Amino acid sequence: MEKEPIKNHQDLKVYQMAFDAAMKIFELSKKFPVEERYSLTDQIRRSSRSVCANLAEAWRKRRYEADFVAKLNDSEAEAAETQTWIEFAVKCNYLDVELGRELYGIYNRILGGLVNMITDPSPWLMKR
């Protein structure tokens, strides 16, 4: 059974995981207190979405290895930032501990996928 070729960034498993996680964070953060609207709520939503946005940009920069890897590094940094905001949300009692662990674990898997792409970018680069 052959795998479908990846035609765009949305076909990447790591992108799909990141998008689903960002949407889950969006839904969960709707319940955060109103006083967090311009701080924790905004930050966790922004960083989680940025993982996806930077992956999309990286995909369009596959002609140039350094540019591709740089955008993947940005995506990795945003995923790690999202984990930090998840920790704050749990410590502030805005997220249940188990839910926080689940989200943190999802971002560990996202980070693993990104690190694999960064470490060996050649299969992802456009052939000239």
Side-chain angles (χ1 to χ4, degrees):
M1 194 154 150
E2 260 182 67
K3 288 169 70 172
E4 286 291 314
I6 295 174
K7 297 180 181 129
N8 61 55
H9 64 277
Q10 293 156 318
D11 294 337
L12 294 167
K13 182 70 178 156
V14 68
Y15 177 88
Q16 294 166 5
M17 279 193 303
F19 190 90
D20 290 346
M23 291 306 299
K24 186 169 193 164
I25 284 171
F26 172 72
E27 289 302 324
L28 291 168
S29 66
K30 286 179 180 179
K31 296 180 181 122
F32 289 4
V34 70
E35 64 267 18
E36 291 287 4
R37 179 175 294 141
Y38 300 109
S39 50
L40 181 66
T41 304
D42 181 57
Q43 292 287 61
I44 197 169
R45 287 178 180 178
R46 183 203 52 76
S47 65
S48 65
R49 291 169 178 168
S50 213
V51 175
C52 302
N54 281 300
L55 261 168
E57 285 185 57
W59 187 256
R60 289 296 171 190
K61 293 188 174 197
R62 291 173 298 130
R63 288 176 192 85
Y64 312 103
E65 182 174 344
D67 292 341
F68 177 63
V69 170
K71 291 312 292 183
L72 291 174
N73 281 323
D74 291 344
S75 189
E76 179 187 6
E78 295 292 344
E81 180 182 339
T82 301
Q83 286 184 313
T84 302
W85 295 122
I86 291 167
E87 286 181 84
F88 275 109
V90 169
K91 288 290 185 187
C92 293
N93 295 312
Y94 304 151
L95 277 182
D96 173 74
V97 172
E98 283 308 310
L99 197 49
R101 281 191 186 127
E102 178 189 332
L103 282 169
Y104 201 93
I106 291 168
Y107 276 93
N108 274 340
R109 289 192 294 283
I110 291 165
L111 283 162
L114 290 168
V115 168
N116 285 338
M117 291 174 79
I118 291 165
T119 304
D120 184 18
S122 56
W124 307 102
L125 298 173
M126 293 178 89
K127 310 299 183 237
R128 295 184 185 203

